[in-house]
Amino acid sequence: MAKCYVTGKSQLSGNKRSHALNATRRVWKSNLQTIRIKDENGEIKKIKISARALKKHNLERV
């Protein structure tokens, strides 16, 4: 399962409810983007990050 590198967000699960309140399992996926960054050692690393964290945190992209 994919997870955000910064916030740790992953998918959530729950029930889809019809008008008659029938319960069907469903999944909400977080909006993960794949980007390349430089880590502490100067190596280029591919990570997955949520769109909200990408807007908020100023990461040095490559």
Side-chain angles (χ1 to χ4, degrees), residues 38-44:
K38 284 187 181 177
D39 63 356
E40 304 86 37
N41 303 330
E43 298 174 1
I44 295 175

Side-chain angles (χ1 to χ4, degrees), residues 44-62:
I44 295 175
K45 188 174 173 184
K46 273 181 140 178
I47 62 166
K48 290 193 179 285
I49 186 168
S50 64
R52 183 178 289 189
L54 186 59
K55 284 172 69 174
K56 185 174 182 179
H57 300 286
N58 191 9
L59 296 173
E60 184 179 340
R61 296 175 77 166
V62 179

Side-chain angles (χ1 to χ4, degrees), residues 17-50:
R17 291 292 186 154
S18 68
H19 185 68
L21 293 181
N22 297 330
T24 305
R25 298 300 286 177
R26 64 156 293 180
V27 171
W28 288 269
K29 294 184 178 176
S30 55
N31 187 3
L32 295 178
Q33 308 294 319
T34 303
I35 65 168
R36 294 181 308 167
I37 63 167
K38 284 187 181 177
D39 63 356
E40 304 86 37
N41 303 330
E43 298 174 1
I44 295 175
K45 188 174 173 184
K46 273 181 140 178
I47 62 166
K48 290 193 179 285
I49 186 168
S50 64

